[in-house]
């Protein structure tokens, strides 16, 4: 297999500097496929397991496509607070040289602190319940949203977040890019994709089954 470097993916200097600082040299298979594809602006449905580097696969395109304006430009939904926190941290590390920060919004933590942090954040990462809470209280506004990411979408649906997800969609502008990552593609994910995504490109990285741990 030919070795691919991040420098082959035509990324901006701020992102390349962040990758260098993080010690990421070679994109994992999901990164090598999803990053250029997401850059075209298309919706993506990616079948990929945890530990494959999928967090950077969706964070990098968001950092590249968002300008340094104000407001929440992207929303990333995760099934649990334990999953949301590392996504927010990875986004902050990758966005460091573009001065882009995330806010993590999940239940069991102070609403006020999250509201204060939202003022400085370009993206929000959260669990469906708390995100919906903020949307209903208008403490989170998605008027400027350019992209929506669903991480571990099958987990979100199997944890009973289907109703929250559908309610969140009412607050999301129609004109946006949607990136959906899921380890499995059951019927309810297909239905979601059909209803809320625009002719998504399907990428399956399951066959190769290469985890980031295998990348030196
Ligand atoms: P994820 O699947 O996004 O949770 O990533 C799994 C682990 O792989 C995390 O600890 C990442 O920091 C790490 N990782 C992701 N992409 C790369 C890469 N291209 N090179 C080295 N490590 C990576």
């Amino acid at each position: 297999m030919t070795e691919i470097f991040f420098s082959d993916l035509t990324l901006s200097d701020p992102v390349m500097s962040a990758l260098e600082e993080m010690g990421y040299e070679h994109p994992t298979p999901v990164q090598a496929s999803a990053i250029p594809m997401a850059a075209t602006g298309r919706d993506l449905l990616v079948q990929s397991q945890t530990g494959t580097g999928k967090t950077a696969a969706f964070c990098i395109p968001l950092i590249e496509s968002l300008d340094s304006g104000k407001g929440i430009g992207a929303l990333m939904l995760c099934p649990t607070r334990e999953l949301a926190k590392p996504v927010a941290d990875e986004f902050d590390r990758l966005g460091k040289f573009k001065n882009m920060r995330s806010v993590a919004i999940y239940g069991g933590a102070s609403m006020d602190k999250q509201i204060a942090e939202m003022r400085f954040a370009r993206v929000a990462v959260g669990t469906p319940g708390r995100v919906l809470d903020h949307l209903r209280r208008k403490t989170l506004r998605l008027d400027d949203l350019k992209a929506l990411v669903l991480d571990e979408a099958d987990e979100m649906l199997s944890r009973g977040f289907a109703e929250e997800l559908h309610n969140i969609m009412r607050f999301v502008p129609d004109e946006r890019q949607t990136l959906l990552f899921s380890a499995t593609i059951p019927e309810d994910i297909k239905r979601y994709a059909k209803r809320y995504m625009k002719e998504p490109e399907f990428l399956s990285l399951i066959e190769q089954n290469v985890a980031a741990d295998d990348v030196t």
Side-chain angles (χ1 to χ4, degrees):
M1 206 166 81
T2 21
E3 266 191 330
I4 307 172
F5 290 89
F6 274 109
S7 49
D8 297 324
L9 299 184
T10 51
L11 300 171
S12 67
D13 289 344
V15 168
M16 286 305 293
S17 302
L19 289 165
E20 197 179 323
E21 195 171 275
M22 291 161 78
Y24 293 7
E25 199 177 348
H26 302 283
T28 65
V30 67
Q31 291 162 359
S33 319
I35 293 170
M37 192 69 83
T40 66
R42 288 197 62 162
D43 282 2
L44 295 189
L45 203 167
V46 184
Q47 184 169 18
S48 174
Q49 278 154 336
T50 53
T52 53
K54 66 185 166 55
T55 314
F58 56 77
C59 287
I60 291 172
L62 299 183
I63 294 161
E64 292 290 15
S65 65
L66 289 174
D67 59 29
S68 50
K70 282 200 165 25
I72 296 297
L75 173 66
M76 304 188 251
L77 295 170
C78 301
T80 65
R81 111 190 230 161
E82 288 71 25
L83 291 166
K85 194 72 184 79
V87 169
D89 291 343
E90 180 101 334
F91 182 90
D92 289 349
R93 292 200 291 160
L94 287 163
K96 180 178 164 189
F97 294 98
K98 214 175 159 182
N99 290 322
M100 254 180 214
R101 246 185 286 168
S102 67
V103 56
I105 45 184
Y106 42 69
S110 152
M111 284 289 255
D112 288 341
K113 187 163 172 273
Q114 292 171 359
I115 293 165
E117 283 174 9
M118 253 183 263
R119 292 180 41 220
F120 302 102
R122 195 70 176 99
V123 309
V125 187
T127 49
R130 180 57 69 96
V131 165
L132 194 56
D133 256 7
H134 278 290
L135 287 170
R136 285 184 170 145
R137 291 175 191 214
K138 298 192 167 51
T139 47
L140 170 61
R141 291 180 176 276
L142 302 179
D143 314 312
D144 298 321
L145 195 89
K146 303 284 184 292
L148 173 72
V149 177
L150 286 93
D151 187 21
E152 313 227 354
D154 51 354
E155 268 291 305
M156 267 194 291
L157 292 176
S158 69
R159 280 171 185 267
F161 281 131
E163 202 179 319
E164 279 88 349
L165 276 186
H166 291 301
N167 284 321
I168 289 170
M169 295 315 289
R170 293 199 218 146
F171 292 89
V172 173
D174 287 340
E175 206 48 51
R176 59 154 201 281
Q177 184 177 28
T178 308
L179 309 175
L180 185 153
F181 288 72
S182 195
T184 59
I185 312 287
E187 274 309 309
D188 50 3
I189 295 285
K190 287 184 197 153
R191 271 199 303 276
Y192 178 93
K194 197 155 187 242
R195 183 158 171 198
Y196 296 115
M197 298 175 77
K198 286 187 281 292
E199 298 170 22
E201 185 76 34
F202 177 61
L203 297 175
S204 178
L205 280 303
I206 235 72
E207 290 293 296
Q208 304 176 33
N209 205 15
V210 182
D213 284 354
D214 298 327
V215 180
T216 47

